[in-house]
């Protein structure tokens, strides 16, 4: 088994474990900002999955998808921060 195959498989395992842990944080909360941070991390992990898959298959087209997803997740985080800044609903108050 070449080293790249081993590294790709190890990366998928680590990203999967992180996804499970973050999903638990998403369910438990306890506050809305905690859940939003968990969603941002899930989006970042998805970018990691896509990039790892692009390396594994050699299909560079997937990197475009990863960049678009990363930018969309960033804009969602900025939008949520502005919503909370303007006095939006917060369950932790």
């Amino acid at each position: 088994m070449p080293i790249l195959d081993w590294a790709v498989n190890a990366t998928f395992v680590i990203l999967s474990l992180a996804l499970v842990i973050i999903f638990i944080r998403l369910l438990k909360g306890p506050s809305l900002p905690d859940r939003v941070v968990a969603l941002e991390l899930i989006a970042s992990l998805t970018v990691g999955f896509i990039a790892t898959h692009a390396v594994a298959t050699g299909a560079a087209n997937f990197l475009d998808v990863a960049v678009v997803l990363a930018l969309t997740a960033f804009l969602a985080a900025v939008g949520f921060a502005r919503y909370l800044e303007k006095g939006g609903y917060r369950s932790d108050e």
Side-chain angles (χ1 to χ4, degrees):
M1 177 179 241
I3 190 74
L4 183 63
D5 291 340
W6 183 86
V8 165
N9 289 335
T11 303
F12 277 132
V13 169
I14 292 169
L15 288 172
S16 298
L17 289 174
L19 187 64
V20 168
I21 293 169
I22 293 169
F23 190 71
I24 292 169
R25 174 50 57 196
L26 178 68
L27 293 177
K28 289 180 80 171
S31 66
L32 184 60
D34 291 331
R35 289 188 170 105
V36 170
V37 169
L39 282 173
E40 286 297 315
L41 284 172
I42 288 173
S44 297
L45 284 176
T46 305
V47 169
F49 274 112
I50 294 169
T52 305
H53 180 71
V55 168
T57 61
N61 296 338
F62 287 114
L63 295 178
D64 296 335
V65 175
V67 169
V68 169
L69 179 61
L71 290 173
T72 304
F74 172 73
L75 290 175
V78 169
F80 179 75
R82 286 189 54 99
Y83 171 73
L84 286 182
E85 184 71 23
K86 299 284 184 186
Y89 172 76
R90 289 182 64 168
S91 63
D92 61 339
E93 292 180 343

